[in-house]
Amino acid sequence: MTTSSSSQRIAVIGGGIFGVSSAVHLARLGAQVTLVTEGAFASGASGRSLAWLNSARFRSAEYHRLRVVGIDRYRTLASRNEGAAWLRFEGGLTWDADEASNRIAEAFAHEQSIGYDCQLLGAAEVVKVTPGINAAAISRQGAIFNPGEGWVDLPSLIEILLQEFEALGGQAVAHAGKASVDIKGGRAAGVSTANGTYIKADAVLVATGAAAPEMAKQAGHAIVDGTPIALLVKSKPFGPAVRAVLNTPNVALRPTPDGAVVCDSAWSEEELNRRSDGTHDVKEETLRRLLLEASNVLEGNPALELESYHCGPKPVPGDGEPVIGPLEGIPGYFVAFSHSGATLGLIAGELIAREMVTGEASPLLANFRPARFAQKSHALAS
């Protein structure tokens, strides 16, 4: 059952999965929604995300629960889009390096203990469970296969959600330049953009990815930011046999709807050089090595050619957990900022939209409020 609120005007800032998902859910609830973004939709972190749908390995119980619910929403979406090339549930495969830091056995025991679907497999067993893997690349400690995991192509999903949003009467404004929240009388009253657009609103949601902490700071609220710069590389199409998402010591990758793979890694992030204008220089050697590492974990070690790459901030809160909810003391001002934007994209939009329209706080978000950073600072100062 949904609650109609056709008289409520809500502005959403952000053209990634959090912003677009929230806007659609708000429109479904009957709000009058304007969605505004600095550039093109999906041109930020959502356009350069591996978009692995998972809750593997270690995290808090509350965060795990939210991610599992998030995956559930994607399963519902998949059932309504059977055979869609942009959303697949073919599992995830993870292994660690053959060194003292290898935690595969520990991770498997943990996942079993919380009921997360998992299998611990030796190299010879992996090839029987999921195709397209170079068994020789798997370390002697084995790999964990999580059959319930998947991936989504976020730009494709965002395009589909935007179509629904506009069909519901929502207004989408792209290339508006940087936006700011207008606070009048101590509450959020609207949004101003660099191109001169002004959107009057009863409530505002800031879902601007890596820019969210700075926007909250301007409103007098601290959100600890741990955002790194990330690199996502896409190969030219070659028809890979691999179906699962791979998370390996030197590369993480997944197939794409057009028969290529996209890949990233932690080490490649460390090789990015910041220019004076704030952009980042990507070495050709880094791109070559990332594609080579991808080839090394694929069956037959295919020669991968570079099609494109995207580099930019990857939104990550300082404590690693989502930041979703109202800014205390500023009625009508809401924030959605998190790592794992793909996994949480649908459920975060659903929960924050319901809260903005009804005023009812979701228990699923209780641990993830922006106010926790202020509370921690106060505790340290006491």
Side-chain angles (χ1 to χ4, degrees), residues 10 12 30 33 47 55 81 154-155 208 224 228-229 261 282 304 364:
I10 298 179
V12 178
V33 189
S55 189
N81 295 270
L154 285 177
T208 53
V224 180
I229 301 300
V261 294
V282 182
L304 302 184
L364 284 169

Side-chain angles (χ1 to χ4, degrees), residues 40-127:
F41 288 99
S43 60
S46 290
R48 52 178 182 268
S49 170
L50 191 71
W52 174 21
L53 307 177
N54 81 96
S55 189
R57 301 190 78 123
F58 311 98
R59 55 184 50 82
S60 71
E62 295 81 6
Y63 191 14
H64 173 71
R65 179 168 62 247
L66 184 63
R67 290 172 70 111
V68 168
V69 177
I71 294 170
D72 172 75
R73 295 301 187 269
Y74 277 102
R75 290 196 171 280
T76 300
L77 184 66
S79 71
R80 295 171 179 170
N81 295 270
E82 189 173 352
W86 47 268
L87 175 60
R88 309 298 300 172
F89 281 98
E90 304 278 4
L93 186 71
T94 301
W95 67 89
D96 290 353
D98 183 7
E99 55 191 31
S101 62
N102 188 297
R103 299 183 71 188
I104 283 295
E106 183 184 355
F108 176 64
H110 170 71
E111 291 179 11
Q112 276 195 317
S113 74
I114 60 175
Y116 192 66
D117 197 0
C118 58
Q119 304 168 29
L120 181 59
L121 306 171
E125 297 170 302
V126 166
V127 296

Side-chain angles (χ1 to χ4, degrees), residues 116-208:
Y116 192 66
D117 197 0
C118 58
Q119 304 168 29
L120 181 59
L121 306 171
E125 297 170 302
V126 166
V127 296
K128 300 175 183 177
V129 173
T130 187
I133 315 298
N134 175 20
I138 299 172
S139 55
R140 61 187 174 85
Q141 294 87 350
I144 297 174
F145 183 62
N146 302 109
E149 295 179 352
W151 59 267
V152 60
D153 183 72
L154 285 177
S156 297
L157 174 57
I158 286 171
E159 182 179 350
I160 291 167
L161 292 176
L162 281 172
Q163 291 172 4
E164 180 185 352
F165 175 66
E166 293 178 336
L168 289 169
Q171 182 179 3
V173 182
H175 303 287
K178 290 187 180 298
S180 60
V181 181
D182 183 27
I183 299 175
K184 292 181 179 177
R187 66 168 296 121
V191 171
S192 299
T193 70
N195 73 354
T197 299
Y198 184 80
I199 304 159
K200 191 173 182 180
D202 302 305
V204 177
L205 172 64
V206 171
T208 53

Side-chain angles (χ1 to χ4, degrees), residues 189-267:
V191 171
S192 299
T193 70
N195 73 354
T197 299
Y198 184 80
I199 304 159
K200 191 173 182 180
D202 302 305
V204 177
L205 172 64
V206 171
T208 53
E214 180 60 30
M215 293 182 70
K217 182 179 178 181
Q218 292 169 4
H221 285 256
I223 294 176
V224 180
D225 188 14
T227 295
I229 301 300
L231 172 67
L232 187 78
V233 172
K234 183 180 180 184
S235 75
K236 291 182 179 179
F238 65 102
V242 66
R243 296 178 184 173
V245 181
L246 305 188
N247 185 23
T248 81
N250 293 322
V251 67
L253 66 81
R254 66 161 171 86
T256 68
D258 61 352
V261 294
V262 290
C263 53
D264 67 11
S265 71
W267 64 261

